[in-house]
Each structure stands twice: as structure tokens, then as C-alpha cells.
């Protein structure tokens, strides 16, 4: 294995060059093939990863823990309530201590205005690589699995590929902005033409949109926005219909100062857009070979109909979920 990446953090794909990401994807493909052939890949024998989850997770938790086992190491599945951080121990002290005991730290903290700051503080004080398992701004492992899945289904030359990232209605919980924000930052770096659709009360963060436009200019892709879901689906080769909360509608300090009021307003706004669902009618507007992607969990019947999500000719969501394992193993084996 290359040792060039040893100790490198993954808080956002923005900190990884395109060339470095190519190595990540090649390593992930190699690990995927070896997993299928049951070829051992004990590249992290006797190594320990500490994972700290502040929120629920199925894909991220299990891709990391299974990944560490398959690489010959072990992952501790920690939650905030099991640790002294629930009594106020600082991220700085937590990072110093865990990085003395093991070989990597990973954490999910999606609290708006808090998560990325928390992870950055851990990374600043850790002597071992720190991996984001999703925060309020970025979800780098999801972006990597998404792009690997696109390469597998649409080919490695993604120049001019039309991908639509659309807000969709959901009534489960206010999902973070981090998945669509990671996608709009990452995809245009690979020449992809991204269209984002959302109701006016559900924008993405302004600074991320500005950075994503710059990435598109540099990477040869493009980025455009619309408030019309149908328009965004026209001719799309990949559609990603997914809910996110209306956090980007507010100045962050105003939001944090009036959190309860803002949440009430977000809920009222949400109810106006129940028609934002990916169904057969929407799919018919897209390219005839359109593929559906979704980070999952999907809010079935709200974000997307069962008919589309379960259509094997359209839906590639389970390949996308499986690729969370291979990309996680790639990053861990390269950095730890
Ligand atoms: N896509 C994703 O991050 O899934 P989990 O929340 O289950 O980890």
C-alpha cells in the first residue's frame, strides 16, 4: 500500500486533490474485487479506530466497523452517552487521549452550526487521522461512494454527465445539508453538469454554493439552480431526490439564537411541498436510461415512490450503499 496518505484527515473531499481522489477510487475498486473474491486484505492488522456517533447510522457505522474487521483491525463503536464528553470533556482532550491509544478517530456530529467545528477541533488535536462520518456541512464518505457508483454505472469519463440533485419532501426528520453540499462540491470537479432543484425556503449554504461554482469552473463541470423539480428532471441521466432541512434559509447565528422558532417555521414551510416526490411522472421527464441514486435511508412514498426505488432498471441505490464499504476501507487503509 502507498504510505503517501498516512495521517491525512478526511473532513471534506475539498482537502483531497483530484489525483489523490483517483488513488482512493482505484484502491476502493481493488478492495471491492478482493472482497468479492474473498482475498484477505489485512492491511490494518492490530490497528484500532475509535468511532464517536452523536446520531443514528446504519451505512456509515457498519461500513466502518465491518471495514476495519476486514482490514484486520478493530473499530470501537462509541456514542456520546458512553463517553465523558457527555459530561463536557472537550474535543481537544478527547482527541489527544484517543490518538495516543489507537490509530484513527472518526466521528459523526450533524448538529447545525456545531458538527464541523467539533470535528475540526478533534482533527487539530489528534496525532492520528481523523475521518468525518458526516457533519452539518460535509459527508465525504457519502460523496466518495456516490462517485464510485457513478463511475461503475456510467463510466469513468463523466465529462458532461447530467446529474440532478433535487430536494424532496420527507416527514421523518430535518436532514442535514451535508449530502447535497458534498455532491455539488465534488461532482463538478469531475466534469459533471449538476442541476440543483429546491423550493426557495430550502437553499443550500451560500458559501458552499460559491465554492461549488468555483469548483465547476476549475473542473470543467457546471452548476445551475432552479425552484422547479420538473425542469431539473428534464434530460437528467442521474437523479438524486432527497430531503434536506431549511437550515440554509437562515443566518446561522439567527438560527442558533431562535432555534425553536426556526424549526417551527421550517416545518410549516415543509408542508407546502408534498408534491416534491420522485415518481413515475418525474422519471419520464428524464433521460430514457436515467438512474436513481439516494444516500439512504429513503423516506419511501415521500421522497421517492417504491415503484421507482425498487425498479432494477432505474435504481442503483443499493450499489451506492455497498460502495460505502469499499470507499471506507480505501480511506482507512490509505490513511491509518
Ligand atoms: N447515508 C448514510 O450516511 O447512511 P447512515 O445515516 O445510515 O449512516
Amino acid at each position: 500500500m502507498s504510505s503517501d496518505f498516512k495521517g491525512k484527515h478526511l473532513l471534506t473531499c475539498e482537502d483531497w486533490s483530484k489525483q489523490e481522489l483517483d488513488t482512493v477510487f482505484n484502491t476502493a475498486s481493488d478492495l471491492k474485487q478482493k472482497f468479492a473474491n474473498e482475498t484477505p486484505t489485512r492491511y490494518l492488522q492490530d490497528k484500532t479506530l475509535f468511532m464517536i456517533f452523536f446520531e443514528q447510522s446504519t451505512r456509515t457505522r457498519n461500513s466502518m466497523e465491518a471495514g476495519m474487521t476486514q482490514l484486520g483491525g478493530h473499530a470501537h463503536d462509541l456514542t456520546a452517552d458512553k463517553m465523558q464528553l457527555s459530561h463536557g470533556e472537550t474535543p481537544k482532550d478527547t482527541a489527544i487521549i484517543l490518538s495516543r491509544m489507537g490509530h484513527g478517530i472518526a466521528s459523526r456530529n450533524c448538529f447545525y452550526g456545531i458538527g464541523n467545528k467539533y470535528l475540526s477541533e478533534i482533527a487539530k488535536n489528534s496525532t492520528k487521522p481523523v475521518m468525518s462520518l458526516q457533519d452539518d456541512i460535509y459527508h465525504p464518505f457519502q460523496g466518495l461512494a456516490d462517485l464510485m457508483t457513478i463511475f461503475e454505472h456510467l463510466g469513468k469519463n463523466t465529462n458532461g454527465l447530467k446529474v440532478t440533485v433535487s430536494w424532496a419532501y420527507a416527514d421523518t426528520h430535518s436532514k442535514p445539508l451535508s449530502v447535497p453540499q458534498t455532491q455539488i462540491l465534488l461532482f463538478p470537479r469531475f466534469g459533471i453538469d449538476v442541476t440543483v432543484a429546491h423550493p426557495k425556503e430550502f437553499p443550500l449554504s451560500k458559501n458552499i454554493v460559491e465554492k461549488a461554482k468555483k469548483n465547476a469552473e476549475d473542473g470543467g463541470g457546471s452548476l445551475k439552480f432552479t425552484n422547479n423539480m420538473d425542469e431539473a428532471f428534464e434530460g437528467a441521466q442521474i437523479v438524486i431526490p432527497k430531503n434536506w432541512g431549511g437550515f440554509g434559509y437562515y443566518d446561522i447565528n439567527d438560527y442558533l439564537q431562535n432555534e425553536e422558532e426556526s424549526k417551527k417555521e421550517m416545518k410549516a414551510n415543509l408542508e407546502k411541498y408534498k408534491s416534491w416526490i420522485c415518481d413515475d411522472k418525474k422519471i419520464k421527464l428524464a433521460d430514457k436510461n436515467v438512474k436513481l441514486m439516494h444516500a439512504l435511508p429513503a423516506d419511501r412514498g415521500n421522497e421517492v415512490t417504491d415503484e421507482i426505488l425498487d425498479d432494477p432498471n432505474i435504481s442503483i441505490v443499493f450499489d451506492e450503499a455497498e460502495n460505502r464499504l469499499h470507499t471506507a476501507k480505501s480511506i482507512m487503509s490509505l490513511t491509518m
Side-chain angles (χ1 to χ4, degrees):
M1 299 293 292
S2 159
S3 60
D4 294 347
F5 300 92
K6 290 283 174 261
K8 189 170 171 64
H9 300 314
L10 176 69
L11 297 191
T12 163
C13 298
E14 292 291 285
D15 296 335
W16 289 61
S17 70
K18 203 162 164 263
Q19 204 180 5
E20 288 172 333
L21 292 176
D22 284 338
T23 303
V24 171
F25 292 122
N26 291 337
T27 305
S29 296
D30 181 55
L31 285 160
K32 184 170 185 172
Q33 193 159 14
K34 290 189 165 113
F35 180 73
N37 295 338
E38 299 190 7
T39 305
T41 54
R42 300 180 67 80
Y43 305 139
L44 297 180
Q45 195 154 1
D46 303 327
K47 294 202 171 177
T48 299
L49 174 71
F50 298 105
M51 305 191 296
I52 311 168
F53 282 91
F54 287 79
E55 286 99 1
Q56 300 83 345
S57 165
T58 296
R59 280 138 291 269
T60 307
R61 168 176 279 122
N62 292 296
S63 60
M64 299 295 286
E65 185 162 350
M68 274 305 286
T69 304
Q70 292 161 23
L71 292 168
H74 178 68
H76 290 213
D77 181 7
L78 302 164
T79 51
D81 61 301
K82 286 184 188 157
M83 298 180 69
Q84 293 295 6
L85 56 88
S86 60
H87 290 146
E89 186 159 32
T90 63
K92 176 181 172 180
D93 293 353
T94 305
I96 293 170
I97 292 153
L98 294 183
S99 61
R100 285 197 185 196
M101 292 182 177
H103 306 89
I105 303 174
S107 182
R108 167 174 287 193
N109 184 334
C110 297
F111 292 108
Y112 191 59
I114 293 170
N116 182 259
K117 288 195 180 93
Y118 190 89
L119 279 162
S120 301
E121 192 60 17
I122 291 194
K124 202 170 98 186
N125 292 286
S126 171
T127 55
K128 301 290 160 52
V130 174
M131 289 157 262
S132 167
L133 303 178
Q134 186 175 19
D135 65 28
D136 53 326
I137 304 176
Y138 306 111
H139 194 354
F141 279 114
Q142 187 62 52
L144 294 175
D146 290 346
L147 205 43
M148 181 176 181
T149 310
I150 291 174
F151 291 152
E152 287 176 345
H153 283 272
L154 281 300
K156 272 225 131 177
N157 181 1
T158 47
N159 287 332
L161 187 73
K162 291 186 190 330
V163 175
T164 288
V165 174
S166 178
W167 185 92
Y169 176 79
D171 63 4
T172 48
H173 63 291
S174 283
K175 302 186 189 188
L177 303 177
S178 45
V179 171
Q181 293 193 160
T182 296
Q183 290 164 340
I184 69 162
L185 286 165
L186 184 62
F187 295 170
R189 293 174 66 191
F190 289 79
I192 295 175
D193 294 331
V194 177
T195 300
V196 182
H198 62 77
K200 64 181 186 340
E201 297 92 341
F202 293 86
L204 300 173
S205 297
K206 278 196 189 75
N207 62 329
I208 295 293
V209 169
E210 289 314 308
K211 184 70 184 40
K213 284 182 181 163
K214 174 83 177 46
N215 284 0
E217 267 171 41
D218 296 346
S222 66
L223 184 61
K224 65 177 187 199
F225 289 84
T226 172
N227 297 134
N228 185 320
M229 193 176 183
D230 282 359
E231 184 188 308
F233 268 57
E234 279 166 19
Q237 292 166 280
I238 294 178
V239 290
I240 313 179
K242 187 188 178 309
N243 179 260
W244 59 82
F247 307 104
Y249 193 55
Y250 302 93
D251 169 82
I252 185 142
N253 294 320
D254 289 347
Y255 177 86
L256 292 173
Q257 273 164 24
N258 306 293
E259 200 164 350
E260 285 315 309
E261 281 305 303
S262 307
K263 279 183 181 164
K264 260 191 219 156
E265 192 179 41
M266 267 163 53
K267 195 156 173 41
N269 287 334
L270 180 69
E271 295 311 312
K272 293 190 263 178
Y273 298 108
K274 285 190 172 171
S275 65
W276 283 60
I277 181 170
C278 176
D279 56 10
D280 188 53
K281 208 166 123 243
K282 295 268 187 332
I283 284 291
K284 284 201 166 78
L285 298 169
D287 183 87
K288 65 178 176 15
N289 297 314
V290 66
K291 300 292 174 210
L292 171 89
M293 293 179 66
H294 193 298
L296 303 180
D299 190 340
R300 285 173 175 263
N302 281 321
E303 291 177 309
V304 55
T305 59
D306 287 343
E307 183 191 9
I308 302 299
L309 195 71
D310 295 328
D311 186 332
N313 294 318
I314 297 175
S315 177
I316 55 174
V317 299
F318 297 114
D319 292 345
E320 184 183 358
E322 182 196 320
N323 283 336
R324 292 294 309 274
L325 173 71
H326 310 301
T327 44
K329 285 165 73 178
S330 172
I331 290 289
M332 292 190 289
S333 61
L334 288 166
T335 62
M336 285 176 62

